[in-house]
Every structure is written in structure tokens, then in C-alpha cells.
Amino acid sequence: MIDVMMMRAEKEIGMGCCGGVCSDPDGLINMEDEFSHHDEERKKLQQLYLKTLEIDPDINIQFMDPRNLLAAAAYFWQQQRRGRIPRRRALTSLLLHSTYGAVFVNGEYIASAGHYEERLLELIES
């Protein structure tokens, strides 16, 4: 099985201290477009997602907000336990590569879209 994790910002603030609604002197402000500056990034990941489904619809794809370090740590720990990446690489990926727009295949950081497709095809063939 191939596990892909794509790091993207959520479109809205869902939880937290204000639950996505903050106040100012004039009343409540709905924060539904708080992360709209990441829209271009989300479109690129959407294209990768659609390309992945074309290659093999059985690939397990997860989307994760990079601010969710606990879930990211669980992903890398799982990949390390499955023997797909060494512990040191898991830690390096968690601390250095878990940023907006990052893509991982079986725990391995993929630096470019071209390498992403190559890596998927390698794993499918093996």
C-alpha cells in the first residue's frame, strides 16, 4: 500500500479559542477566509491529488494541516514502524519539511511534482 500525505492549510479556522469567530468592538467577525492566501497552494495540491487518482485510485491519500504537529508526528511514526523510512529521516521530515505544500510518499519528502509521479510509478511497479 502506498501512503501519501499532502500538507495544506485548512480553508477556515475550525477550532481553537474562538471556534472560527472572533470579536472586535463592532461585533463578531466570521473568519471563513482567514487562510485564502493559501488558495494557489491548495490548487496545486488538488492537481496532484487528481493526478494520483488517475495513476492508481487505491493509493491512500491524507491531507493534513502542517500546524497539526501531533497528527504529522503520528504519520511519520507509523511510516517508520512500517520500515519505510529510518527514524532519523522521520524526525527530519517532521521538523524541517512539514510545511505548507509539502508532499510525502510513504514518509519520504518529495521535493518536486515530477519526482512525485516517478516515485509513485516506482512503488506501483515494485
Side-chain angles (χ1 to χ4, degrees), residues 8-84:
R8 67 167 171 78
E10 292 295 329
K11 183 71 174 167
E12 302 176 12
I13 296 176
M15 296 297 287
C17 62
C18 62
V21 177
C22 287
S23 63
D24 87 359
D26 297 328
L28 297 178
I29 300 170
N30 195 354
M31 298 177 67
E32 59 196 25
D33 290 327
E34 187 66 19
F35 295 103
S36 60
H37 59 280
H38 289 290
D39 285 347
E40 190 62 36
E41 203 170 86
R42 277 191 287 276
K43 287 178 187 175
K44 288 178 185 176
L45 289 177
Q46 178 186 21
Q47 291 169 352
L48 269 183
Y49 173 78
L50 293 173
K51 183 74 149 177
T52 304
L53 292 179
E54 286 177 15
I55 292 171
D56 186 350
D58 293 329
I59 293 175
N60 180 32
I61 304 170
Q62 300 176 43
F63 287 96
M64 190 175 307
D65 193 306
R67 295 167 293 178
N68 190 345
L69 288 177
L70 186 59
Y75 169 81
F76 290 115
W77 180 72
Q78 180 185 54
Q79 298 305 315
Q80 188 267 322
R81 286 201 37 154
R82 290 180 178 169
R84 294 177 174 170

Side-chain angles (χ1 to χ4, degrees), residues 85-105:
I85 56 173
R87 184 176 294 150
R88 185 178 202 147
R89 185 180 300 166
L91 188 60
T92 301
S93 291
L94 177 65
L95 298 176
L96 300 179
H97 299 298
S98 295
T99 61
Y100 297 112
V103 177
F104 300 89
V105 176

